[in-house]
Amino acid sequence: MTESVDLAIVGAGPAGLAAAAQAAELGLPVTIADAFSLPGGQYYKQTTELGVMPATEGQAGRLIEGLARPHVRLLLGTLVWGIFSERGGYLLCLAGPPGTPRRLWAETVILAPGAYERPVPFPGWTLPGVMTAGAALGMVKHQRVLPGRRVLLSGTGPLQWILARHLIDAGAELVGVLDANRFPWNGWRHAGAVWGQWGRLGEGWQAWWAMVKAGVRIRWSRIVLRAEGDRQVERVVVGPVDGSRSETVLADTICLGHGFTPAVQLSRLAGCEHHYRPDQAAFVPLRDEWLQTTRSGLFVVGDGAGIGGKDVALLEGKLAAMGAALQLGRDVPPSRISTLKRDLSRQRRFAAVLDALFPFSARLGNLLTDDTVLCRCEEVTVGEIRRAIDERATTVSAVRMLTRAGMGRCQGRMCGGPLAELIARQTAQAVEAVGIAAPRPPIMPVELEGMLEVES
Amino acid sequence: MSSARDDRRLPRPVVGDRLTVKVDGQPVQAFRGESVAAVLLALGQQTFRHTERLGAPRGVYCGMGVCFDCLVTVDGQHYVRACVTPVQEGMVIETGGVSS
């Protein structure tokens, strides 16, 4: 039997938690599901055993405590693998521990799926030792294990500085910090948007100072051109973004931090309209002032709707919860709505500064050689894809059918963006014309018995 | 116990219970709360498997469960993501990949 609820929230990171807390406060019964076994998402990540939230205890702790109400149901370890329009609401398909409902019908849904790191392929990027900045940060900060001994950072923006600081504190040998962008000389123009963000400026400054003390200098307009090694990374060829010069450094670990890309699988599966945001080089759901998508009663909040960071996510979660409450016939004081919208636009201005100063450049794709593996799961090379494009496959879907690129276990999360950029470059189209592959349920591999609707 | 092979664990504010797992037949010390990936990286092992098609080595990439690169065999179950799987007492972990 399918259970029916007023409001379902998918994702228990900052955006989902804020939405749940706000909805609960407005008296709505809430069901919130998250694939991980503890709430917090990637930002408020909790270590499995200790259940403590390093550094963010206050804020995250308050949010999670706010869920301890009788009308809030938290479904952990529960993957929402499908969403479908049905009877004026949405049917959610769940796979979770025994006792978890397999189907949930919700009149309103808030999706807070978050984001993952933007993959930027280069020759050798599949070698062990090449990992995302987030993977390395998780190892140092949460697992307390050094991911490697001689570490090179490549990417862009202040999150890399923060990783550098953690690695320095952990005793790793930092052999370089490369930033794909030029030094942001024009940063002063954004002083107005940055004014008042003392906490985050302080964090950036501390990280910068830790690098200075350790004698680590950021090398601007530099990237990894190629990683080499037999069984894992041993040597890294680095150079300017145009590849005009190069030098080799010895390292066993490369941490890639080129920003994030929204996880739009569920919002696309639900049939929401998406548009391409050039400033973020990503497809995001179209939303109204309540963060409702083109599907009535379906909201998307946080990084899953466009990268804005934790503070934008918290405010968006609250705003969508108010929107859902209004739709469900609850009262929301108008003064609270206007305050929230004002705070949100201030936080979005800050997020836009980071986009402007540390943009992603599709030029990085110029480094791909024919033997570079683009689709990590199906091991499809750039050469194979280029041949498919020559055979008139000019969209992501067409290349997928010819080469299997994007059909593996990650379902195109890793190669989807780079694939679209490669096709766009080779066919002289805009990336938005090339499109993104249609998501297919289940949006992540699920055990068959977890999908079946069995009664116990 | 091969805990001293090349222990890359860092000082921790709180230490989880000690437990023992098997990695490719060898007993290895681990701590509750650690992921399978953390235990392997703590040993200095970066390669978790070889791929089916090209036999290429792979390890941790995304670290958050979305890329499916860090796959290992856990208690006989293939294709388990090491980065999002917490270790349990007596867990049997096999690296190297599944030969097809």
Side-chain angles (χ1 to χ4, degrees):
Chain A
M1 209 183 74
T2 301
E3 277 183 46
S4 293
V5 298
D6 289 338
L7 172 63
I9 299 173
V10 182
L17 287 175
Q22 179 66 75
E25 197 201 308
L26 293 168
L28 285 178
V30 181
T31 302
I32 174 168
D34 193 280
F36 285 93
S37 55
L38 288 169
Q42 292 298 312
Y43 189 86
Y44 296 136
K45 195 177 224 162
Q46 302 184 70
T47 48
T48 326
E49 166 68 1
L50 309 173
V52 294
M53 276 142 299
T56 49
E57 276 149 319
Q59 203 173 33
R62 273 197 303 280
L63 275 174
I64 291 167
E65 276 167 28
L67 302 184
R69 297 168 189 245
H71 55 295
V72 176
R73 180 164 58 158
L74 186 55
L75 301 173
L76 292 169
T78 301
L79 173 75
V80 175
W81 58 263
I83 178 169
F84 307 93
S85 290
E86 194 178 281
R87 291 183 284 123
Y90 298 91
L91 182 70
L92 302 178
C93 301
L94 281 56
T100 310
R102 301 289 165 100
R103 304 282 185 273
L104 205 58
W105 182 88
E107 189 173 343
T108 57
V109 175
I110 298 176
L111 297 177
Y116 45 88
E117 253 156 308
R118 175 191 297 284
V120 176
F122 52 79
W125 77 307
T126 58
L127 280 172
V130 179
M131 65 184 75
T132 65
L137 191 63
M139 277 299 153
V140 175
K141 214 172 140 181
H142 305 296
Q143 294 282 324
R144 297 298 290 153
V145 168
L146 209 52
R149 295 273 185 220
R150 285 178 60 86
V151 187
L152 175 76
L153 270 52
S154 183
T156 192
L159 288 179
Q160 290 291 82
W161 315 344
I162 289 163
L163 172 61
R165 183 190 141 200
H166 281 281
L167 287 166
I168 292 166
D169 289 348
E173 186 184 350
L174 216 54
V175 297
V177 176
L178 314 179
D179 196 298
N181 284 298
R182 285 193 297 268
F183 181 83
W185 294 111
N186 53 349
W188 59 271
R189 285 186 209 160
H190 303 282
V194 170
W195 187 261
Q197 300 279 359
W198 311 124
R200 284 191 283 191
L201 290 173
E203 199 179 3
W205 170 252
Q206 275 181 9
W208 187 281
W209 183 238
M211 283 192 287
V212 169
K213 276 194 298 185
V216 175
R217 232 162 30 93
I218 298 174
R219 300 182 64 198
W220 300 95
S221 303
R222 293 289 187 284
I223 51 169
V224 171
L225 300 173
R226 184 165 82 239
E228 299 172 343
D230 288 333
R231 295 194 187 135
Q232 61 177 69
V233 177
E234 293 164 26
R235 298 170 301 280
V236 193
V237 180
V238 306
V241 177
D242 62 8
S244 57
R245 279 171 291 126
S246 70
E247 61 180 291
T248 301
V249 296
L250 296 179
D252 58 33
T253 304
I254 302 172
C255 303
L256 298 172
H258 286 279
F260 301 89
T261 197
V264 293
Q265 286 75 24
L266 286 175
S267 53
R268 296 200 64 233
L269 191 59
C272 308
E273 262 181 65
H274 287 62
H275 68 131
Y276 188 76
R277 260 185 74 175
D279 59 331
Q280 297 209 335
F283 283 91
V284 298
L286 280 170
R287 298 181 298 171
D288 67 12
E289 59 167 333
W290 293 102
L291 314 177
Q292 183 175 223
T293 64
T294 53
R295 293 283 185 182
S296 174
L298 180 60
F299 303 76
V300 188
V301 293
D303 281 350
I307 307 305
K310 178 255 305 175
D311 291 295
V312 169
L314 290 170
L315 296 167
E316 286 196 355
K318 285 186 185 182
L319 184 57
M322 292 180 184
L326 288 171
Q327 281 202 4
L328 293 165
R330 302 299 203 281
D331 287 326
V332 182
S335 63
R336 295 188 56 187
I337 298 168
S338 54
T339 310
L340 193 53
K341 286 186 176 172
R342 200 181 57 229
D343 291 348
L344 181 55
S345 70
R346 191 171 72 91
Q347 294 297 346
R348 281 183 177 154
R349 275 202 304 279
F350 181 82
V353 173
L354 292 179
D355 284 340
L357 295 182
F358 304 102
F360 167 71
S361 163
R363 277 193 310 157
L364 302 182
N366 294 341
L367 302 168
L368 299 172
T369 53
D370 273 353
D371 60 354
T372 308
V373 169
L374 196 88
C375 169
R376 301 172 69 99
C377 300
E378 296 293 306
E379 304 189 85
V380 184
T381 64
V382 168
E384 289 171 284
I385 291 162
R386 283 183 174 148
R387 277 196 295 282
I389 299 169
D390 288 340
E391 289 165 26
R392 294 173 170 271
T394 56
T395 62
V396 167
S397 304
V399 170
R400 175 158 88 166
M401 276 192 278
L402 281 183
T403 65
R404 292 194 58 80
M407 291 178 80
R409 294 184 188 96
C410 89
Q411 298 180 250
R413 285 175 176 82
M414 295 298 113
C415 67
L419 178 60
E421 284 147 20
L422 178 64
I423 299 169
R425 214 163 29 245
Q426 195 164 326
T427 58
Q429 298 181 82
V431 178
E432 51 267 55
V434 171
I436 41 176
R440 305 257 185 262
I443 61 153
M444 279 230 178
V446 181
E447 278 182 44
L448 202 53
E449 65 180 42
M451 287 173 66
L452 300 173
E453 196 167 9
V454 263
E455 301 304 321
S456 50
Chain B
M1 275 302 178
S2 51
S3 60
R5 217 193 315 175
D6 173 15
D7 198 342
R8 298 185 175 188
R9 287 185 178 82
L10 300 164
R12 297 167 181 191
V14 187
V15 181
D17 299 339
R18 269 165 206 270
L19 41 85
T20 305
V21 299
K22 262 191 181 162
V23 177
D24 297 324
Q26 296 294 315
V28 166
Q29 185 184 292
F31 295 89
R32 194 169 302 283
E34 290 182 332
S35 67
V36 171
V39 170
L40 294 175
L41 288 178
L43 294 168
Q45 178 172 349
Q46 283 189 319
T47 301
F48 289 13
R49 68 174 177 120
H50 288 81
T51 56
E52 292 96 333
R53 187 178 168 201
L54 301 175
R58 293 288 172 88
V60 171
Y61 177 71
C62 79
M64 56 179 284
V66 295
C67 80
F68 291 83
D69 247 347
C70 64
L71 302 176
V72 294
T73 299
V74 171
D75 294 334
Q77 191 178 349
H78 297 320
Y79 307 120
V80 174
R81 291 169 294 171
C83 71
V84 292
T85 304
V87 285
Q88 310 281 354
E89 174 63 40
M91 190 179 254
V92 176
I93 300 158
E94 293 160 89
T95 69
V98 180
S99 45
S100 44

